[in-house]
Amino acid sequence: MSSVRPWRDIERRECRQIMVGDVPVGGGAPITVQTMTNTPTEDAVATIDQIRRCEDAGADIIRVSVPTVEASQAFGKITKAARVPIVADIHFHYKRALEAADAGAACLRINPGNIGSSERVAEVVRAAKANGCAIRIGVNAGSLEKDLLEKYGEPCPEALIESALDHIKLLQDHDFHEYKVAVKASDVFLAVAAYHGLAEAVDCPLHLGITEAGGLIGGTVKSSIGMGSLLWAGIGDTIRVSLSAEPEQEVKVGYEMLKALGLRTRGVRVVSCPSCSRQGFDVIRTVEALEKRLEHIKTPMSLSVLGCVVNGPGEARETDIGITGGGKGKHMVYLSGVTDHHVEDTDMLDHIVKLVEEKAARIEAGDDIAFDPHQAEAAE
């Protein structure tokens, strides 16, 4: 059957699947959203508290640095407390990888070439196999090998790809194939070109990221341009939005990115106008309040908030619940795309929250479904 909206379709790159704990990555599995803790790993209580906030925000996988012996000692407590798979972030010291694998890591983030001799790589691979760990090869434009920088003169897509292939070969030489790969750069053009080239060269899952992207606003924009273009092209099986912001913010931005492309849904997707002098209520403050009060909703559904009747009715026809500003403090409410009733300005916020919560409860109970106007058209 052909798609009703072929211009919405994204044909994902085919690749083999690996498991990160109990979470499938690649092979047609949903694209997973990752983040990374920034508390001292040695402080297990603080790290677990931060992991819990990230889990509540929807993180599928969480990465934790393990740079010291003390961090290794806390890592076991952390993996036991976590409800999602934990990736151990390892740099240089292979013994930290061995300790993390034994302490419950679902995945080891390493550069095999930085671990040391072939014998040390073999030890890490043995520990990963014995504990059912996957490995994430993390190539970064800021830490390319000296020989590649000398060969190419600067970080470039070819250098990133060659580095990734060299690291992959180290694992394959030890008959290890449960790996995913990232070729990150802070330069959007460099990262995107490297991922496109790598996607053609390997059959493993790819972990997407624009590294050192910046603060919440700037980093979100850069990540959305780079990762969004790759995801739109069907490239990417797991993502991490790297922001100078709290890790739960990274999770929220990652989900919004996937929601915008129709690749993953979680919680309420809000459609709202930028507001203008035609608005019948304070759109900006209303959306801010609704987003905060609806953070607890995990059920995928849609809400439109439009200040006036110019675009309001049209947008409301596409969403589960809609509110359009009217005159004299009286606003129109739409349910499943259809005009339903009016609500007074003073009651609007509480009323919309109640409608969303009730709809979510019905969906979770199996008594209702999220509204999809395009499916309705296809059935006609």
Side-chain angles (χ1 to χ4, degrees):
M1 180 184 291
S2 62
S3 172
V4 176
R5 295 288 187 280
W7 37 270
R8 290 177 181 265
D9 296 343
I10 293 177
E11 185 176 346
R12 288 182 62 191
R13 162 184 170 268
E14 292 184 6
C15 70
R16 56 190 175 80
Q17 188 175 97
I18 68 169
M19 297 297 295
V20 177
D22 59 358
V23 175
V25 176
I31 296 169
T32 54
V33 177
Q34 300 189 28
T35 188
M36 186 174 182
T37 57
N38 57 27
T39 52
T41 305
E42 294 82 358
D43 187 343
V45 173
T47 303
I48 291 166
D49 286 346
Q50 192 172 70
I51 286 172
R52 201 66 77 225
R53 293 194 294 275
C54 294
E55 290 170 338
D56 290 342
D60 300 298
I61 300 169
I62 298 174
R63 180 154 50 112
V64 175
S65 287
V66 188
T68 65
V69 173
E70 293 75 18
S72 283
Q73 292 167 348
F75 189 73
K77 298 175 185 175
I78 292 166
T79 59
K80 286 183 176 67
R83 297 192 293 254
V84 300
I86 299 298
V87 177
D89 191 69
I90 308 296
H91 287 278
F92 306 116
H93 209 302
Y94 82 103
K95 284 189 177 179
R96 301 292 87 78
L98 306 181
E99 293 159 359
D102 289 339
C107 181
L108 305 174
R109 187 275 188 194
I110 63 171
N111 281 345
N114 292 345
I115 291 297
S117 65
S118 179
E119 290 74 21
R120 288 184 175 181
V121 174
E123 280 195 62
V124 172
V125 167
R126 279 195 293 272
K129 286 182 176 179
N131 291 281
C133 290
I135 288 178
R136 199 248 293 178
I137 296 170
V139 175
N140 193 306
S143 55
L144 276 172
E145 296 88 332
K146 288 182 180 178
D147 63 317
L148 290 175
L149 287 175
E150 290 174 1
K151 177 179 178 180
Y152 291 100
E154 65 176 0
C156 61
E158 293 79 11
L160 290 171
I161 294 165
E162 185 171 333
S163 177
L165 295 177
D166 288 345
H167 292 314
I168 287 172
K169 187 176 185 304
L170 286 173
L171 295 184
Q172 290 179 334
D173 286 347
H174 294 286
D175 194 30
F176 190 87
H177 306 282
E178 297 301 300
Y179 57 83
K180 52 183 175 168
V181 185
V183 281
K184 295 185 179 182
S186 59
D187 182 296
V188 172
F189 298 95
L190 174 55
V192 170
Y195 275 111
H196 273 284
L198 187 63
E200 295 179 0
V202 300
D203 70 344
C204 63
L206 298 183
H207 171 101
L208 298 191
I210 305 298
T211 194
E212 289 97 35
L216 181 58
I217 295 177
T220 294
V221 171
K222 282 183 68 174
S223 296
S224 297
I225 292 170
M227 294 163 64
S229 69
L230 289 165
L231 292 165
W232 200 336
I235 296 171
D237 305 287
T238 182
I239 67 172
R240 189 259 173 117
V241 181
S242 298
L243 302 175
S244 300
E246 293 305 321
E248 53 266 42
Q249 294 291 345
E250 295 186 348
V251 177
K252 292 174 184 177
V253 172
Y255 265 102
E256 289 299 323
M257 200 181 297
L258 295 177
K259 282 157 67 173
L261 290 167
L263 290 167
R264 189 98 185 261
T265 55
R266 182 184 191 274
V268 182
R269 176 176 63 86
V270 177
V271 176
S272 62
C273 68
S275 80
C276 69
S277 61
R278 293 191 305 266
Q279 64 183 357
F281 56 87
D282 188 336
V283 173
I284 294 174
R285 249 54 65 183
T286 298
V287 170
E288 287 175 350
L290 286 171
E291 287 182 335
K292 185 164 186 173
R293 291 183 61 176
L294 296 174
E295 277 187 340
H296 65 291
I297 302 292
K298 309 296 188 286
T299 311
M301 57 187 300
S302 54
L303 168 67
S304 57
V305 182
L306 281 294
C308 76
V309 296
V310 173
N311 294 319
E315 294 294 348
R317 282 197 293 269
E318 305 278 315
T319 56
D320 288 286
I321 295 165
I323 181 77
T324 294
K328 299 181 180 178
K330 205 170 193 178
H331 314 302
M332 179 60 70
V333 177
Y334 300 76
L335 302 180
S336 298
V338 178
T339 304
D340 194 84
H341 59 275
H342 288 89
V343 62
E344 298 289 339
D345 196 76
T346 52
D347 302 324
M348 182 177 64
L349 271 177
D350 290 340
H351 185 65
I352 295 300
V353 169
K354 182 170 180 285
L355 289 175
V356 171
E357 289 177 337
E358 289 176 347
K359 173 96 177 184
R362 291 196 303 272
I363 292 172
E364 291 301 312
D367 298 327
D368 202 347
I369 59 172
F371 178 59
D372 185 341
H374 308 300
Q375 284 188 354
E377 288 179 19
E380 290 177 358

